[in-house]
Amino acid sequence: MNKNYYAILMAGGVGSRFWPVSTQEYPKQFHDMLGTGDTLIQKTFNRLSELIPKENIFILTNERYNDLVFQQLPDVTKRQVVLEPAMRNTAPCILYASLKIQKENSDAVMIVAPSDHWIEDENAFTQNVKQTFEFCEQNDALMTLGIQPTFPNTGYGYIEFDKSSNQDIKPVNQFREKPDYETAKSFIAQGNFLWNAGIFMWSAKSVIKAFKSNQPELYSLFEAGIEAYNTDLEDGFIQENYAKAENISVDYAIMEKSENVFVLPATFDWNDLGTWGSLYDKLDKDSDNNAVVNAKTLTEDATGNMIRSKKDKIVVVDGLKDYIIVDKDEVLLIFPKAKEQDIKKVLQNVKEKFGETYG
């Protein structure tokens, strides 16, 4: 394997739309959401290790998940776990990890990948990433993988690429915010729009240069710790300075401001597993179109439901259509799939009424 290949595996999110399974103390990336025997972070780590040396996969997460990372990825070392002492969106943590990696290997090229996405054809994923790495080794480029849209989804941002390019890797014209339905339809009709999956590739040199140019204050904050990185002094510097960072995404911080941005239209099937409905879409269904994880079910006049319980629990459902039914310890959620975006709001109401322990 190429020792210059690195990964930053993003594992700090809470995934509140997967409540009650995903909670602040135990978020979705540490759960076996698909019922496969592996948690999402384990599946992602294994997928990346097909191309990248295991010791070069860095896990970027919040301090509170440190123990969970080591429980689920017993092969990783303390060096590989990069802890955020405060929630500051994706730009600060990516810059911090990139400076650490560049100090270790100035020739590094890396992928930044979410820990909780579903990817069908893992061989195609590996080939796509290898192609982008080779491009990033030869060019000063900020790269992303774009997903071929299959319908006018209003829940994703879009990437507009240069239609005139006949290369596999295409220059990006602009990033577009999550559109309304009619705008999404027009994007798809134009043929040069891709879903933004939040998967990035670049060399350490290129990404740090982009931060220096576009986010000088953020760059100065983290560059000041360069002597401390990868030493015993690092934790002290980060504890003192991390919370001073601006709360900003990597998209806003550098991708939307840079001229040297490219996209490779991905050749694999992808889902961000952002909601119970998106999980339902990817699971096998029974003869009544119910998707079941862990439970033993007895259903009557019940169709299109997402049903999840602890292992081998018997769940009887009669007369429900298109519902999310999730049984977890002290919480039972029975909620219309059509209203799944409101689960975040429901969680807030539950916390207010019954206390923080339920979220």
Side-chain angles (χ1 to χ4, degrees), residues 269-294:
D269 196 5
W270 167 92
N271 190 300
D272 75 338
L273 292 187
T275 63
W276 285 113
S278 64
L279 179 62
Y280 170 87
D281 290 341
K282 289 304 168 194
L283 291 169
D284 292 335
K285 317 290 191 297
D286 65 16
S287 57
D288 292 315
N289 263 339
N290 298 306
V292 180
V293 177
N294 296 335

Short mmCIF file of all heavy atoms in Angstrom, two decimals, residues 269-294:
data_model
loop_
_atom_site.label_atom_id
_atom_site.label_comp_id
_atom_site.label_asym_id
_atom_site.label_seq_id
_atom_site.Cartn_x
_atom_site.Cartn_y
_atom_site.Cartn_z
N ASP A 269 -23.07 3.31 -5.89
CA ASP A 269 -24.36 3.73 -5.33
C ASP A 269 -24.12 4.18 -3.89
O ASP A 269 -23.36 3.55 -3.15
CB ASP A 269 -25.33 2.54 -5.37
CG ASP A 269 -26.77 2.98 -5.17
OD1 ASP A 269 -27.01 4.20 -5.09
OD2 ASP A 269 -27.64 2.11 -5.08
N TRP A 270 -24.78 5.27 -3.50
CA TRP A 270 -24.47 5.93 -2.23
C TRP A 270 -25.75 6.38 -1.54
O TRP A 270 -26.73 6.71 -2.19
CB TRP A 270 -23.56 7.14 -2.53
CG TRP A 270 -23.38 8.12 -1.42
CD1 TRP A 270 -22.38 8.12 -0.48
CD2 TRP A 270 -24.16 9.29 -1.13
NE1 TRP A 270 -22.51 9.20 0.37
CE2 TRP A 270 -23.61 9.94 -0.02
CE3 TRP A 270 -25.31 9.84 -1.72
CZ2 TRP A 270 -24.14 11.10 0.52
CZ3 TRP A 270 -25.84 10.99 -1.18
CH2 TRP A 270 -25.26 11.61 -0.08
N ASN A 271 -25.70 6.40 -0.22
CA ASN A 271 -26.80 6.96 0.57
C ASN A 271 -26.19 7.53 1.84
O ASN A 271 -25.34 6.89 2.47
CB ASN A 271 -27.82 5.87 0.91
CG ASN A 271 -29.10 6.43 1.51
OD1 ASN A 271 -29.07 7.07 2.56
ND2 ASN A 271 -30.23 6.18 0.87
N ASP A 272 -26.61 8.73 2.23
CA ASP A 272 -25.99 9.34 3.41
C ASP A 272 -26.59 8.84 4.72
O ASP A 272 -26.14 9.24 5.80
CB ASP A 272 -26.08 10.87 3.34
CG ASP A 272 -27.47 11.41 3.63
OD1 ASP A 272 -28.45 10.66 3.50
OD2 ASP A 272 -27.57 12.60 4.00
N LEU A 273 -27.58 7.93 4.64
CA LEU A 273 -28.23 7.39 5.85
C LEU A 273 -28.51 8.50 6.86
O LEU A 273 -28.13 8.42 8.02
CB LEU A 273 -27.35 6.31 6.49
CG LEU A 273 -27.19 5.01 5.69
CD1 LEU A 273 -26.44 3.97 6.51
CD2 LEU A 273 -28.52 4.44 5.24
N GLY A 274 -29.19 9.54 6.37
CA GLY A 274 -29.45 10.69 7.23
C GLY A 274 -30.72 10.57 8.05
O GLY A 274 -30.89 11.28 9.04
N THR A 275 -31.64 9.68 7.64
CA THR A 275 -32.93 9.56 8.32
C THR A 275 -33.38 8.11 8.32
O THR A 275 -32.85 7.27 7.59
CB THR A 275 -34.01 10.38 7.57
OG1 THR A 275 -34.17 9.82 6.26
CG2 THR A 275 -33.64 11.85 7.46
N TRP A 276 -34.40 7.81 9.12
CA TRP A 276 -34.97 6.46 9.12
C TRP A 276 -35.50 6.09 7.74
O TRP A 276 -35.41 4.94 7.31
CB TRP A 276 -36.10 6.36 10.16
CG TRP A 276 -35.61 6.30 11.57
CD1 TRP A 276 -35.77 7.25 12.55
CD2 TRP A 276 -34.89 5.23 12.19
NE1 TRP A 276 -35.17 6.84 13.72
CE2 TRP A 276 -34.63 5.60 13.53
CE3 TRP A 276 -34.42 3.99 11.74
CZ2 TRP A 276 -33.94 4.78 14.42
CZ3 TRP A 276 -33.72 3.17 12.61
CH2 TRP A 276 -33.49 3.57 13.93
N GLY A 277 -36.03 7.07 7.03
CA GLY A 277 -36.55 6.80 5.68
C GLY A 277 -35.45 6.40 4.72
O GLY A 277 -35.63 5.50 3.88
N SER A 278 -34.28 7.06 4.81
CA SER A 278 -33.17 6.70 3.93
C SER A 278 -32.63 5.32 4.29
O SER A 278 -32.19 4.57 3.40
CB SER A 278 -32.06 7.75 3.99
OG SER A 278 -31.49 7.83 5.28
N LEU A 279 -32.67 4.95 5.55
CA LEU A 279 -32.28 3.60 5.95
C LEU A 279 -33.29 2.58 5.41
O LEU A 279 -32.90 1.54 4.85
CB LEU A 279 -32.21 3.50 7.48
CG LEU A 279 -31.83 2.14 8.05
CD1 LEU A 279 -30.44 1.72 7.62
CD2 LEU A 279 -31.93 2.14 9.58
N TYR A 280 -34.56 2.90 5.52
CA TYR A 280 -35.61 2.03 4.98
C TYR A 280 -35.36 1.73 3.49
O TYR A 280 -35.48 0.60 3.04
CB TYR A 280 -36.98 2.70 5.17
CG TYR A 280 -38.12 2.02 4.43
CD1 TYR A 280 -38.82 0.98 5.02
CD2 TYR A 280 -38.48 2.43 3.14
CE1 TYR A 280 -39.85 0.34 4.34
CE2 TYR A 280 -39.50 1.80 2.45
CZ TYR A 280 -40.19 0.76 3.06
OH TYR A 280 -41.21 0.13 2.38
N ASP A 281 -34.97 2.78 2.74
CA ASP A 281 -34.75 2.61 1.30
C ASP A 281 -33.67 1.58 0.99
O ASP A 281 -33.72 0.93 -0.05
CB ASP A 281 -34.34 3.95 0.67
CG ASP A 281 -35.48 4.96 0.64
OD1 ASP A 281 -36.64 4.54 0.77
OD2 ASP A 281 -35.19 6.17 0.51
N LYS A 282 -32.70 1.43 1.88
CA LYS A 282 -31.55 0.57 1.59
C LYS A 282 -31.68 -0.84 2.17
O LYS A 282 -30.85 -1.70 1.88
CB LYS A 282 -30.26 1.22 2.12
CG LYS A 282 -29.86 2.44 1.31
CD LYS A 282 -29.71 2.07 -0.16
CE LYS A 282 -29.58 3.28 -1.08
NZ LYS A 282 -29.77 2.91 -2.49
N LEU A 283 -32.68 -1.09 2.98
CA LEU A 283 -32.84 -2.40 3.60
C LEU A 283 -33.71 -3.32 2.74
O LEU A 283 -34.57 -2.85 1.99
CB LEU A 283 -33.48 -2.25 4.99
CG LEU A 283 -32.60 -1.60 6.05
CD1 LEU A 283 -33.43 -1.27 7.29
CD2 LEU A 283 -31.43 -2.50 6.45
N ASP A 284 -33.48 -4.62 2.86
CA ASP A 284 -34.38 -5.58 2.22
C ASP A 284 -35.77 -5.47 2.84
O ASP A 284 -35.91 -5.13 4.02
CB ASP A 284 -33.85 -7.01 2.42
CG ASP A 284 -32.56 -7.24 1.66
OD1 ASP A 284 -32.32 -6.54 0.66
OD2 ASP A 284 -31.78 -8.13 2.07
N LYS A 285 -36.79 -5.75 2.05
CA LYS A 285 -38.18 -5.63 2.53
C LYS A 285 -38.84 -7.01 2.53
O LYS A 285 -38.47 -7.89 1.75
CB LYS A 285 -38.98 -4.70 1.61
CG LYS A 285 -38.28 -3.42 1.16
CD LYS A 285 -38.07 -2.43 2.26
CE LYS A 285 -37.61 -1.07 1.72
NZ LYS A 285 -36.31 -1.07 1.04
N ASP A 286 -39.85 -7.15 3.39
CA ASP A 286 -40.65 -8.38 3.36
C ASP A 286 -41.73 -8.24 2.28
O ASP A 286 -41.76 -7.26 1.52
CB ASP A 286 -41.23 -8.71 4.74
CG ASP A 286 -42.24 -7.67 5.23
OD1 ASP A 286 -42.73 -6.85 4.41
OD2 ASP A 286 -42.57 -7.67 6.43
N SER A 287 -42.63 -9.21 2.21
CA SER A 287 -43.62 -9.22 1.12
C SER A 287 -44.60 -8.04 1.21
O SER A 287 -45.27 -7.71 0.24
CB SER A 287 -44.41 -10.54 1.14
OG SER A 287 -45.01 -10.73 2.40
N ASP A 288 -44.67 -7.40 2.39
CA ASP A 288 -45.53 -6.22 2.56
C ASP A 288 -44.74 -4.92 2.57
O ASP A 288 -45.23 -3.89 3.04
CB ASP A 288 -46.33 -6.34 3.87
CG ASP A 288 -47.36 -7.46 3.80
OD1 ASP A 288 -48.06 -7.55 2.78
OD2 ASP A 288 -47.44 -8.25 4.77
N ASN A 289 -43.50 -5.00 2.08
CA ASN A 289 -42.64 -3.81 2.00
C ASN A 289 -42.27 -3.24 3.35
O ASN A 289 -41.99 -2.04 3.48
CB ASN A 289 -43.29 -2.71 1.14
CG ASN A 289 -42.75 -2.74 -0.28
OD1 ASN A 289 -41.67 -3.27 -0.53
ND2 ASN A 289 -43.51 -2.20 -1.21
N ASN A 290 -42.27 -4.06 4.39
CA ASN A 290 -41.76 -3.63 5.69
C ASN A 290 -40.26 -3.94 5.75
O ASN A 290 -39.83 -5.03 5.36
CB ASN A 290 -42.47 -4.37 6.83
CG ASN A 290 -43.95 -4.06 6.87
OD1 ASN A 290 -44.36 -2.90 6.91
ND2 ASN A 290 -44.78 -5.10 6.84
N ALA A 291 -39.47 -2.97 6.22
CA ALA A 291 -38.03 -3.18 6.44
C ALA A 291 -37.82 -3.45 7.92
O ALA A 291 -38.26 -2.67 8.77
CB ALA A 291 -37.25 -1.95 6.00
N VAL A 292 -37.17 -4.57 8.23
CA VAL A 292 -37.06 -5.02 9.62
C VAL A 292 -35.59 -5.19 9.98
O VAL A 292 -34.83 -5.86 9.26
CB VAL A 292 -37.82 -6.35 9.83
CG1 VAL A 292 -37.70 -6.81 11.28
CG2 VAL A 292 -39.29 -6.21 9.42
N VAL A 293 -35.18 -4.59 11.11
CA VAL A 293 -33.84 -4.80 11.66
C VAL A 293 -33.98 -5.42 13.05
O VAL A 293 -34.65 -4.85 13.94
CB VAL A 293 -33.05 -3.47 11.76
CG1 VAL A 293 -31.68 -3.70 12.40
CG2 VAL A 293 -32.88 -2.85 10.38
N ASN A 294 -33.40 -6.59 13.24
CA ASN A 294 -33.31 -7.31 14.52
C ASN A 294 -34.60 -7.99 14.96
O ASN A 294 -34.57 -9.06 15.56
CB ASN A 294 -32.82 -6.40 15.66
CG ASN A 294 -31.41 -5.89 15.44
OD1 ASN A 294 -30.62 -6.51 14.73
ND2 ASN A 294 -31.09 -4.75 16.02
#
